[in-house]
């Protein structure tokens, strides 16, 4: 399973990605988790099983959700508190809950 996180430049989510990988490792889940720039959404929708977007780009929600819906890829906005505290467990649960 591939989980893709999108943010403004793909950099602010890097710590969150690492925490999510740690959480997945503890659960022995076979997942690939990556962070990318929101500008890469079209390319990422080709291979992602689920997409989560950073709360700082929620203003692009309509555009992004429309593209994801067309590609039949589940998408959601990362819960603000989980994002701010880089709670890898909670964000991983959010991603898994979309599938």
């Amino acid at each position: 399973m591939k989980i893709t996180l999108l943010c403004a430049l793909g950099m602010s989510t890097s710590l969150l990605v690492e925490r999510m990988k740690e959480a997945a490792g503890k659960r022995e889940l076979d997942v690939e988790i990556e962070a990318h720039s929101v500008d890469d959404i079209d390319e990422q929708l080709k291979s992602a099983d689920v997409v989560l977007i950073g709360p700082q780009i929620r203003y692009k929600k309509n555009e992004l959700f429309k593209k994801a819906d067309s590609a039949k890829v589940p998408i959601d906005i990362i819960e603000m508190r989980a994002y701010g505290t880089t709670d890898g467990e909670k964000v991983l649960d959010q991603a898994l809950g979309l599938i």
Side-chain angles (χ1 to χ4, degrees):
M1 174 185 358
K2 182 177 177 187
I3 301 169
T4 300
L5 278 59
L6 299 176
C7 67
L9 297 174
M11 295 168 63
S12 62
T13 54
S14 60
L15 181 56
L16 182 55
V17 166
E18 292 309 311
R19 298 242 171 116
M20 289 175 71
K21 286 180 179 179
E22 289 172 14
K26 289 177 188 173
R27 299 180 195 185
E28 298 181 2
L29 296 174
D30 183 21
V31 295
E32 181 181 345
I33 306 168
E34 298 178 348
H36 295 276
S37 165
V38 68
D39 295 333
D40 294 338
I41 188 166
D42 293 325
E43 189 63 31
Q44 294 309 313
L45 287 172
K46 294 176 185 175
S47 62
D49 294 303
V50 63
V51 172
L52 294 174
I53 63 173
Q56 74 275 29
I57 57 169
R58 70 179 330 120
Y59 67 93
K60 292 187 172 201
K61 177 184 176 183
N62 292 341
E63 171 193 347
L64 300 175
F65 277 52
K66 189 180 203 179
K67 287 183 177 192
D69 187 51
S70 292
K72 296 185 178 15
V73 175
I75 187 170
D76 202 1
I77 298 170
I78 300 170
E79 193 271 320
M80 181 112 39
R81 181 171 296 186
Y83 187 86
T85 60
T86 60
D87 187 337
E89 294 276 350
K90 190 166 187 173
V91 179
L92 180 61
D93 286 341
Q94 183 179 2
L96 295 174
L98 292 171
I99 296 177

